[in-house]
Amino acid sequence: MSLTAQTYWAEHAWLGESVQPNVLIVTAVDGRIKEVRADTPVPPAGAVWLRGLTLPGLANAHSHAFHRALRGVVQAGSGTFWTWREVMYGVADKLTPERYFDLARAVYAEMTMAGITCVGEFHYLHHAPGGTRYDNPNAMGEALIAAAAEAGIRITLLDTCYLSSGFGAEPDAHQLRFSDGTAEAWAERVSALKGDGNTRIGAAVHSVRAVPVDQLGTVSGWADHHAAPLHVHLSEQTAENDACVEAHGFTPTRVLADHGVLGPRTTAVHATHLTPGDIRLLGHSATGVCMCPTTERDLADGIGPAAQLEQAGSTLSLGSDSHAVVDILEEARAMEMDERLHTRTRGHWSAPRLLRAATADGHAALGWGDDAGRIEPGALADLTTIALDSVRTAGPPPALGAETAVFAATNADVRHTVVGGRHVVRDGAHQLVPRVPEALAEAIAALRD
């Protein structure tokens, strides 16, 4: 990513706890914020105006980029998560490194247009269909890294270990391309991936059903050795919980705890169907939890115990997962609204707290916690500006900008996105990827051949 020094003048900016007017944000050539000065009523000559409410860049802590090809398709008719999965496998079978680059580049451009400046890509499409290895074993992962760079978004590639179709079962025909055979082979391959200023490499356990218990320690050990984030799908489905108890006598959370997977560097994704004991294990180990409400409701998975998890000690982040929509503001709003439906009470999280889940805590879950998610000197110059004068956001005073952003705005209200000081989205138009809707349509159409 080419970084530049720039001076931005934010009409209003959320500086962690409150909205301040007339905020000057000076960035340096290293892509970090050099100076933040509130109450600067006259922008200096050459400053770029950011009209609206400027936030730290949003973090999408859980993405499967290729699922974007399912939007509108899997909503036809009914079915379950398991029937949805078969359609998803059909799309996965058609992806090559070249096709995946085209699709991911367009999807990541869509994300930046939604104000997302960093994405956690939960990546398990490692090999060719049937399990044949590419000449470059990391061709698929490197395609994602290249796509993110071209779209102007930061990426944490959460390279995923996926070895089994179920507890003790061999991968099925679709899943052969996901598997490295053993966790040791997975670790050898992922160790060849390289991070850079735009990229961090993390690890993932797909799920307790997909990684045998005797190989969980290899994955968590790799993450510990590399000080890398570790993510895991957890208790998304009751069927998985039942199968885990039948196979091991314990819930998935307990299995992960017993094999050293939980901890402050770990993020459990979904965590929808938990026992009170599971919640204590996650919270007391400071394991983070990524909620994906728009996917969880689209697949009828259920409402996870987000409030209880936070009370127990888990930090919450947000993800768009299957990309039924790409809108982290909606994910933040949905977490509160789902809890209201579940409890029939309001006000579980304040707007600033939800914004923190969408920014600082999401970046921390992706391994960028020391660098991003705040507007202050030394932080990465990653910014998102939300319009305060659209049909959705007009009316409230700017002092209530956080509440307006969370409870009224959508991805359509994102006016500007800045990554590393570079103006990636300007006045709603992507500056690096031309004609993003057409790029999405073309990349998805290629998978129908």
Side-chain angles (χ1 to χ4, degrees):
M1 178 184 292
S2 177
L3 303 179
T4 60
Q6 184 60 268
T7 298
Y8 293 96
W9 182 80
E11 186 179 28
H12 303 280
W14 183 63
L15 300 182
E17 296 298 330
S18 63
V19 175
Q20 299 294 322
N22 307 327
V23 177
L24 192 72
I25 304 170
V26 181
T27 72
V29 292
D30 64 357
R32 293 180 180 272
I33 296 172
K34 182 178 180 181
E35 179 183 0
V36 178
R37 192 190 320 152
D39 196 21
T40 307
V42 179
V48 176
W49 288 31
L50 302 176
R51 294 192 180 277
L53 173 66
T54 296
L55 310 169
L58 304 177
N60 186 352
H62 189 66
S63 163
H64 300 290
F66 75 96
H67 288 189
R68 175 61 178 80
L70 302 173
R71 186 186 297 176
V73 176
V74 292
Q75 281 74 31
S78 58
T80 67
F81 168 85
W82 307 104
T83 56
W84 170 90
R85 189 176 73 160
E86 291 305 310
V87 180
M88 179 268 288
Y89 284 161
V91 171
D93 286 344
K94 297 178 181 178
L95 285 165
T96 63
E98 295 75 20
R99 285 179 168 181
Y100 208 5
F101 169 83
D102 291 341
L103 177 60
R105 177 176 176 264
V107 173
Y108 295 153
E110 179 184 2
M111 289 187 193
T112 59
M113 292 176 70
I116 297 165
T117 58
C118 185
V119 58
E121 185 61 40
F122 199 100
H123 167 58
Y124 53 83
L125 286 174
H126 303 308
H127 310 296
T132 302
R133 272 43 175 176
Y134 292 109
D135 291 340
N136 173 4
N138 284 308
M140 294 292 274
E142 290 177 5
L144 292 166
I145 291 170
E150 288 212 8
I153 195 171
R154 300 188 194 279
I155 186 171
T156 296
L157 188 72
L158 297 161
D159 195 288
T160 304
C161 187
Y162 193 132
L163 307 173
S164 171
S165 66
F167 297 92
E170 293 297 317
D172 67 21
H174 296 295
Q175 297 162 345
L176 287 171
R177 73 178 308 186
F178 308 162
S179 177
D180 290 295
T182 66
E184 289 76 12
W186 167 85
E188 180 179 0
R189 179 185 53 74
V190 73
S191 293
L193 286 163
K194 303 300 181 186
D196 54 36
N198 195 63
T199 307
R200 296 198 174 167
I201 307 301
V205 170
H206 180 272
S207 56
V208 292
R209 72 175 185 272
V211 179
V213 293
D214 61 353
Q215 301 195 55
L216 289 170
T218 299
V219 183
S220 61
W222 186 94
D224 287 342
H225 178 73
H226 292 85
L230 174 63
H231 288 217
V232 54
H233 288 140
L234 177 64
S235 292
E236 184 177 4
Q237 300 293 324
T238 56
E240 179 178 84
N241 287 356
D242 294 342
C244 186
V245 171
E246 182 177 352
H248 300 299
F250 299 107
T251 66
T253 302
R254 175 68 182 275
V255 168
L256 294 174
D258 288 349
H259 290 83
V261 177
L262 303 184
R265 196 177 288 120
T266 299
T267 297
V269 181
H270 301 301
T272 306
H273 303 285
L274 302 178
T275 68
D278 293 339
I279 293 170
R280 287 192 296 272
L281 284 171
L282 292 167
H284 293 179
S285 63
T287 299
V289 176
C290 178
M291 307 301 293
C292 305
T294 65
T295 292
E296 289 148 7
R297 72 191 185 197
D298 180 55
L299 296 179
D301 286 341
I303 298 172
Q308 295 176 59
L309 284 161
E310 186 176 60
Q311 291 165 7
S314 291
T315 299
L316 303 179
S317 55
L318 300 162
S320 63
D321 191 8
S322 69
H323 312 314
V325 297
V326 172
D327 190 338
I328 295 300
L329 297 173
E330 171 61 20
E331 303 293 346
R333 175 163 55 247
M335 188 164 72
E336 166 68 21
M337 297 304 182
D338 285 354
E339 192 69 20
R340 292 182 184 185
L341 286 173
H342 179 66
T343 63
R344 293 184 290 176
T345 60
R346 303 175 75 217
H348 302 275
W349 292 278
S350 67
R353 179 65 194 88
L354 292 169
L355 282 180
R356 181 174 176 82
T359 57
D361 291 342
H363 282 95
L366 297 177
W368 298 84
D370 293 336
D371 294 306
R374 59 194 187 279
I375 302 176
E376 61 183 47
L380 291 168
D382 297 352
L383 310 169
T384 297
T385 302
I386 308 296
L388 294 179
D389 57 359
S390 76
V391 293
R392 289 164 295 278
T393 61
L400 295 178
E403 288 76 9
T404 303
V406 171
F407 293 107
T410 73
N411 54 9
D413 297 307
V414 172
R415 184 172 280 163
H416 303 284
T417 305
V418 174
V419 182
R422 181 169 63 168
H423 212 157
V424 175
V425 176
R426 183 189 294 262
D427 292 317
H430 205 286
Q431 303 299 293
L432 307 178
V433 179
R435 305 182 310 278
V436 175
E438 291 90 335
L440 283 162
E442 291 169 5
I444 292 168
L447 302 179
R448 301 194 187 106
D449 296 343

